[in-house]
Amino acid sequence: MTHPHPRIPGRRFLHSPGPTPIPEAVLHAMSAQPMDLGDPRVDANIVACEQGLKRLLHTSAADVFMYAANGHGVWEAVIENLAAPGEAVLVPATGHFSESWAVQTEALGRRVVRTPWREGWPMDVAAVEQGLRDDKAHAIKAVFAIHTDTASGVTNDLRAVRCAIDAAGHPAILVADVVSTLAAVPFAMDDTGVDVAVGASQKGLMCPTGLGFVAVNAAALAAAQRNPSPRFYWDWARRKHEQSYRKFCGTPPQNLLLGLEAALGLIFSEGLDAVWRRHAQLARAVQAAVEGWREGGALGFFAQDPATRSHSVTTITVAQGIDVEALRAVARDRFQVALAGGLGPLTGRAFRIGHLGDCNPAMILGAIAGVEAALVTLGVPVGDGGTRRALMSLADAAIQPSPAQVGTGALFQGGLEPGRAVDVRAVEE
Ligand SMILES: *Cc1c(COP(=O)(O)O)cnc(C)c1O
């Protein structure tokens, strides 16, 4: 009998921005038999995950609640806990992901105040402040801000959102979606003044999909307590419990939690600074390749300001007439590089290269070369030297292990500067 999907020789390079490749150590940790709920290993595993996530989020004050859910599940948790039907939430527009969260919020009977979206640019922080100033009655209960909109490939400045809320003198709770930035881009929850951080397992955390979590500070817990809207499964008060299985409102997803503990161990043994630097280097290499390709005239960056281009995912726009799905199919089937398509308004107009999680220079070079080969196969003009530029960028990064790029700029403020390396090129020029 022939199998409809023949064996793939070698390994397919997965470069979607989630799900991302899973390290062998995580896969091994997950291949365990279930445990009874009284087994002390269950508690130890849950505590390790909670503490590891708090360390990763740079929070000492917040409570971590984990759900057997994907990112949309934890979006729902935040909506249900922080706003009652009829109350409002402000969602700064960042692209497809902010719009999806807004639509989900409205579907649950809450009102949404959106800020205008300028394609290719970060959120309009001035409009956030103005929207809050205009809300004299404080009907807006929370601001739902996305750190990196994974469809846009644009990273936003969360500290600026905190400042906007404070400048408006508004009591709204600041919720930050760090699903695609956690363990990829510097983030410090307490320091940034984020009240609730939202994450999921299948992106920078290198685990399978299915484990979502929130970190909730005292102000957000108090706001949830004031919220009279009925809820059960998602309810934070119910999950704040001594008994570990009650923290999950039922059986914990044990194998995912074993995987998460292993993944957190990998992150901390590499060193969080080193993880951030690696992501910056790999992103620079991908973006160097795109700079080369765009000389062919058919491709471009969606993110207009280079300083806001994500370290997790690069969104590449294509000229009219280029079939993104055909490109993905050729890249996947012939060259074994799996890419993501454009989402929402970018459907058919863009493709995305994920470069987060368990990723290294050789994987990036393979992916870039595979994408370039697929583009050439389809006759897309890509200039001459995108792959070469990625290679040179990585060679340069190897000479200069702490890129000065990391640790500068508004996105990386807050005592988190991973390196103080001298930028060799800047000195030479
Ligand atoms: C992936 C992602 C989500 C949604 O996660 P799912 O697990 O696909 O539901 C939410 N926010 C951001 C920023 C994401 O990248």
Side-chain angles (χ1 to χ4, degrees), residues 17-19 69-75 97-98 100-101 104 146-151 177-181 198-203 209-211 313 352:
N70 64 12
H72 282 71
V74 282
W75 275 356
F97 277 84
S98 69
S100 301
W101 202 357
Q104 191 172 333
I146 297 193
H147 195 192
T148 292
D149 192 302
T150 317
D177 172 335
V178 293
V179 173
S180 62
T181 46
V198 172
S201 50
Q202 79 273 26
K203 302 198 176 172
T209 313
L211 195 65
V313 57
R352 294 174 297 148

Side-chain angles (χ1 to χ4, degrees), residues 80-323:
E80 295 286 10
N81 279 281
L82 289 179
E87 291 179 344
V89 168
L90 188 144
V91 181
T94 56
H96 176 72
F97 277 84
S98 69
E99 184 54 24
S100 301
W101 202 357
V103 166
Q104 191 172 333
T105 303
E106 288 171 332
L108 293 165
R110 281 73 172 175
R111 289 187 296 116
V112 171
V113 177
R114 291 168 173 78
T115 62
W117 186 45
R118 195 169 157 215
E119 278 205 2
W121 295 90
M123 69 171 69
D124 183 344
V125 180
V128 172
E129 185 179 329
Q130 193 56 50
L132 294 172
R133 281 188 193 282
D134 293 345
D135 176 41
K136 299 272 187 290
H138 293 171
I140 295 173
K141 297 301 167 194
V143 175
F144 291 173
I146 297 193
H147 195 192
T148 292
D149 192 302
T150 317
S152 305
V154 175
T155 299
N156 296 281
D157 186 351
L158 293 172
R159 185 181 297 278
V161 186
R162 176 78 264 168
C163 292
I165 296 172
D166 293 347
H170 198 287
I173 295 295
L174 173 55
V175 183
D177 172 335
V178 293
V179 173
S180 62
T181 46
L182 197 58
V185 177
F187 172 71
M189 177 175 173
D190 291 354
D191 229 56
T192 311
V194 166
D195 299 307
V196 181
V198 172
S201 50
Q202 79 273 26
K203 302 198 176 172
L205 290 175
M206 311 178 288
C207 286
T209 313
L211 195 65
F213 55 88
V214 286
V216 182
N217 74 7
L221 273 181
Q225 241 137 34
R226 289 192 300 272
N227 172 9
S229 114
R231 55 194 186 270
F232 194 95
Y233 181 76
W234 305 111
D235 186 30
W236 293 336
R238 187 174 299 278
R239 280 172 182 260
K240 202 170 155 66
H241 208 284
E242 291 300 306
Q243 275 169 299
S244 65
Y245 79 95
R246 293 211 186 267
K247 292 179 181 175
F248 288 85
C249 198
T251 312
Q254 292 175 354
N255 295 61
L256 284 169
L257 290 162
L258 291 169
L260 179 60
E261 182 178 346
L264 290 164
L266 293 179
I267 289 165
F268 293 125
S269 65
E270 183 179 348
L272 194 48
D273 284 1
V275 169
W276 290 336
R277 275 202 301 276
R278 174 165 57 80
H279 280 82
Q281 284 172 359
L282 299 181
R284 249 190 342 184
V286 170
Q287 290 159 13
V290 178
E291 266 162 26
W293 294 337
R294 83 174 159 177
E295 288 182 358
L299 302 180
F301 285 105
F302 182 67
Q304 296 305 304
D305 177 359
T308 68
R309 283 178 196 148
S310 168
H311 291 182
S312 307
V313 57
T314 299
T315 302
I316 299 153
T317 54
V318 304
Q320 238 180 358
I322 294 173
D323 183 345

